[in-house]
Amino acid sequence: MKKRNLLLSVVMSALLVTMAAGCGNSGTKSSEAGSGSGAGTDAGSTDKKTYTVAISQIVEHPSLDATREGFIAALKDAGITEGDNLKIDFNNAQGDPANNLSIAQKIASGKNDLVLGISTGSAQALVQQVKDTPVLFAAVTDPVDAKIVSNLDQPGGNVTGGSDTNPVAVQRLMDFIAESFPNVKNVGIVINEGEPNAIVMAKNAEETLKKHNIKLVRAAVTNTSEVKQAAESLVGRVDALFITLDNTVVDGVDSIIQLANEKHIPFFSSDRDTVEKGAFATVGFKYYDHGYQVGQMAVDILKNGKKPGDMKVSVQEKLDLILNLKAAEAQGITVTDAMKDKVTDKENDIIQ
């Protein structure tokens, strides 16, 4: 009897141990399955992949900064957020074109999911150095002339982006000057002839002004510190001032605005940000929107697997005359109803 009870006790103990082990294993598998299921749910609702984007920018000034901000905002709206699943490697060339190459080489040696060049020179250097990573460009006036891409509709390779101008914008602005300021016979331009975008736009402006028998007078600079002196050299020789999307000049535009106000010379720019700062007029758009548009292209590449070379280069189509009434007063300009009538979006593009 005792032996049978002992045997029964041993068998029961063994069964209990087996059941306990089975429960333990079952619990572990359940936990692992639960963890996997949770990860799958999270991945379905938010993008858990971490992205690294390198940015090269020639200099920090309102238009280029707004471009970068719009670009980052488009990524964020698509669930790619800096500090969460996005790391941005921002590089500023400090206005020195020579720094573009070293920055591009550094970026090329790193591991990035996408690269952005803001300005013509920055984009050119990246295209030369980065061959295996998608490259986008923004704030580039003529990507074909700058040899960044060979075709706007089918860029090919690993490069595409957005052009920040439409040749019509410069032409419309020059026409506006001729029609609204009949006494203007000479327009002065401060220009860095080393910037391809500046050369293209200046040529466009010169050809349009020539149709109105107006001469474009150049004052050349090689760096931002020369902008003030170059602008001063035009006083007495010109009836109005104009600048292109010339990063060297835009970086020192405060001195031109001050001179235009002191001497009562109408000052025209090629970007909205400079008008908001104190130029009288331009035909343009918001650079934030331009950057946002390029950012949407980045999202298509990063999340949807699109190939840059198959994506058409975007060009700004929505253009409007933008006037700054305070700048007009400072520069001795009488703003007529006829001038205001040329503005389509009067609520946003006539700056009080």
Side-chain angles (χ1 to χ4, degrees):
M1 187 73 174
K2 288 182 179 179
K3 288 182 179 180
R4 189 174 66 179
N5 290 341
L6 179 61
L7 180 60
L8 182 60
S9 177
V10 171
V11 172
M12 290 297 293
S13 296
L15 286 171
L16 288 171
V17 170
T18 302
M19 289 174 66
C23 290
N25 289 340
S26 175
T28 302
K29 289 178 182 177
S30 175
S31 175
E32 288 173 351
S35 175
S37 175
T41 301
D42 289 343
S45 59
T46 57
D47 191 349
K48 286 300 181 181
K49 175 177 170 59
T50 298
Y51 301 91
T52 300
V53 173
I55 300 176
S56 177
Q57 183 172 315
I58 182 62
V59 69
E60 290 188 280
H61 66 59
S63 295
L64 300 188
D65 292 343
T67 300
R68 187 177 75 252
E69 290 163 6
F71 176 84
I72 294 172
L75 294 180
K76 183 177 181 180
D77 287 348
I80 304 175
T81 307
E82 188 176 11
D84 181 13
N85 60 344
L86 171 64
K87 178 182 177 183
I88 293 179
D89 174 23
F90 174 63
N91 302 268
N92 178 8
Q94 305 292 339
D96 185 352
N99 291 334
N100 284 327
L101 179 59
S102 58
I103 289 173
Q105 290 172 334
K106 174 209 149 188
I107 289 175
S109 66
K111 293 183 178 180
N112 300 288
D113 296 290
L114 185 139
V115 173
L116 171 68
I118 303 179
S119 80
T120 300
S122 298
Q124 285 174 320
L126 289 174
V127 169
Q128 291 170 5
Q129 298 296 319
V130 181
K131 301 300 182 183
D132 301 321
T133 303
V135 177
L136 287 180
F137 58 82
V140 171
T141 298
D142 191 336
V144 174
D145 183 76
K147 294 180 171 56
I148 294 172
V149 295
S150 58
N151 187 295
L152 297 180
D153 293 329
Q154 289 290 331
N158 64 324
V159 183
T160 190
S163 172
D164 65 346
T165 191
N166 183 324
V168 174
V170 173
Q171 295 162 11
R172 280 179 54 183
L173 183 60
M174 297 304 108
D175 288 340
F176 172 76
I177 293 173
E179 293 166 8
S180 304
F181 297 83
N183 294 327
V184 170
K185 302 301 178 186
N186 296 284
V187 173
I189 180 173
V190 179
I191 183 172
N192 177 6
E193 301 279 3
E195 288 205 25
N197 54 315
I199 295 173
V200 170
M201 295 183 72
K203 183 179 179 181
N204 191 7
E206 186 171 37
E207 290 175 351
T208 306
L209 288 173
K210 195 175 293 184
K211 296 176 183 177
H212 299 285
N213 295 317
I214 298 175
K215 184 179 179 182
L216 187 70
V217 181
R218 286 174 166 79
V221 299
T222 57
N223 57 64
T224 299
S225 65
E226 298 172 354
V227 170
K228 183 175 185 291
Q229 184 176 354
E232 289 173 341
S233 74
L234 293 169
V235 175
R237 302 163 55 205
V238 301
D239 310 299
L241 296 169
F242 165 66
I243 62 171
T244 68
L245 299 173
D246 184 328
N247 294 299
T248 302
V249 177
V250 173
D251 195 32
V253 76
D254 287 345
S255 60
I256 302 179
I257 292 171
Q258 182 178 354
L259 180 71
N261 293 346
E262 289 176 355
K263 302 297 184 180
H264 284 189
I265 303 173
F267 174 37
F268 303 87
S269 71
S270 296
D271 65 294
R272 181 190 182 95
D273 295 295
T274 301
V275 172
E276 291 180 349
K277 210 170 187 182
F280 167 55
T282 191
V283 172
F285 53 89
K286 290 184 178 180
Y287 267 79
Y288 180 93
D289 295 339
H290 167 61
Y292 194 95
Q293 187 174 19
V294 176
Q296 289 177 314
M297 299 175 76
V299 171
D300 265 344
I301 293 169
L302 295 173
K303 297 190 75 171
N304 302 327
K306 285 196 175 181
K307 295 180 179 180
D310 296 336
M311 301 172 69
K312 183 178 179 179
V313 173
S314 63
V315 178
Q316 298 306 309
E317 301 289 351
K318 188 179 178 181
L319 302 172
D320 197 9
L321 178 66
I322 304 165
L323 304 177
N324 184 329
L325 301 188
K326 286 185 178 179
E329 183 179 358
Q331 293 162 24
I333 301 168
T334 300
V335 180
T336 64
D337 289 339
M339 292 182 187
K340 293 180 181 179
D341 286 343
K342 294 181 182 295
V343 180
T344 301
D345 184 356
K346 293 178 173 58
E347 181 178 350
N348 294 307
D349 292 340
I350 295 181
I351 302 168
Q352 304 290 336

